[in-house]
Amino acid sequence: MRDIKCSGVRWIDLENPSKNDMMTLEIDYGFHALNLEDSQSKIQLTKVEQHKDYLFIILRFPVLCENHHCVPTQISFFLGKDYLITIHEKRIPVLDEIANSCEDMAMEFGKLPPFGIGSLLYRIMEGIINSLFPIVENIMDRLENLEESVFEEKKVVLFDVTLLRRSISDLRRITAPLRRVIGEIELGVKSLTGEEMGIYFTDLRDHIEKIWELSETAKEIVDIYKDTDYTLHQQRMNRALVILTIIFTATIPTSTVGTLYGMNVVL
């Protein structure tokens, strides 16, 4: 658990909280029991809920895309006028970086830089969204490495193409809701705290759109690779059939003669 206070703003970060931690939040802050339950559930979707005294947000995003699939993680936000509570099951490097930078500045300057709740939320979301770019770059690198193998006639790479298509599909499925909720979060923060964060959340929206465009490009390229590999495979099969047909045709005369002389008749 991390508890950081600065300029009247409090940030509590809970990693894999216990039942007592959740009960404390319900008593101290009056969070709805269903929201607390959703924050610990592993099957929730990205969403934003506006309540009277707080804003409840669940974000799902990929943290790793390997050969088989993209591994998603989830973080829940309880945003009030002067506090932000983040809940997640596993360690999230972005949160560690922001918290460590605040602690380093406190040690160096003796105080933390003033920021509002909306600014703190923006910094966290910016770090989360920017962490997706290395994942997309990794997928693009895998596409480049696969290109030579796809256009090499003697190599069948259908399985590798299938794995890459799955990674791209997972990435798009997980990140698609982020495009929708950015605007909702901006409106929720403004109505709750009065902070004008339009230009900052527009920047987040631009980053998400860049990631989406790159994933769209990757999807189109991998579909081309799939069709190319299938076409080349069919071409190899046709060549094999042609060779077998020629061999069969060449053996027809000898087979016919051998068949005739093998019959129990006088020729």
Side-chain angles (χ1 to χ4, degrees), residues 52-66:
K52 182 180 179 180
D53 299 324
Y54 68 93
L55 187 68
F56 177 59
I57 306 168
I58 291 181
L59 296 182
R60 286 177 60 84
F61 56 96
V63 292
L64 181 66
C65 284
E66 295 181 328

Side-chain angles (χ1 to χ4, degrees), residues 9-21:
V9 171
R10 187 180 186 185
W11 174 23
I12 300 176
D13 180 48
L14 296 173
E15 179 179 342
N16 195 20
S18 64
K19 291 184 178 179
N20 290 334
D21 293 330

Side-chain angles (χ1 to χ4, degrees), residues 99-222:
N100 291 337
S101 67
C102 290
E103 292 172 355
D104 292 341
M105 294 187 72
M107 292 179 61
E108 183 175 356
F109 301 105
K111 62 179 181 178
L112 294 175
F115 50 72
I117 286 297
S119 301
L120 178 58
L121 178 64
Y122 163 75
R123 289 187 62 187
I124 294 174
M125 292 188 62
E126 180 188 32
I128 289 174
I129 293 174
N130 287 341
S131 69
L132 303 182
F133 281 102
I135 294 176
V136 178
E137 291 173 0
N138 175 261
I139 288 179
M140 301 304 289
D141 290 340
R142 288 169 61 187
L143 280 171
E144 292 182 5
N145 295 334
L146 194 60
E147 182 178 3
E148 294 183 2
S149 300
V150 168
F151 292 98
E152 187 177 335
E153 291 190 12
K154 296 181 180 179
K155 217 169 186 180
V156 180
V157 292
L158 181 59
F159 184 67
D160 295 333
V161 171
T162 302
L163 291 179
L164 189 52
R165 289 185 73 199
R166 179 181 178 182
S167 294
I168 296 172
S169 176
D170 287 345
L171 175 66
R172 289 169 60 80
R173 174 176 51 81
I174 297 170
T175 58
L178 291 176
R179 305 172 68 200
R180 171 181 54 83
V181 300
I182 295 296
E184 297 180 29
I185 294 174
E186 176 192 345
L187 294 176
V189 171
K190 183 177 180 180
S191 65
L192 188 65
T193 67
E195 293 181 77
E196 287 289 346
M197 302 292 297
I199 187 171
Y200 297 101
F201 281 95
T202 298
D203 183 63
L204 292 182
R205 193 179 296 112
D206 291 341
H207 288 183
I208 283 290
E209 290 303 320
K210 288 178 182 178
I211 292 171
W212 186 258
E213 289 174 4
L214 287 172
S215 68
E216 183 73 21
T217 301
K219 178 178 178 294
E220 293 175 359
I221 293 174
V222 79

Side-chain angles (χ1 to χ4, degrees), residues 4 6 8 40 74-75 82 84 88 94 132 148 152 168 176-177 195 204 210 219 249 251-252 260:
I4 301 176
C6 172
Q40 291 191 296
Q74 174 179 304
I75 179 171
D82 58 354
L84 175 64
H88 48 97
V94 170
L132 303 182
E148 294 183 2
E152 187 177 335
I168 296 172
E195 293 181 77
L204 292 182
K210 288 178 182 178
K219 178 178 178 294
T249 304
T251 58
I252 287 178
L260 290 174

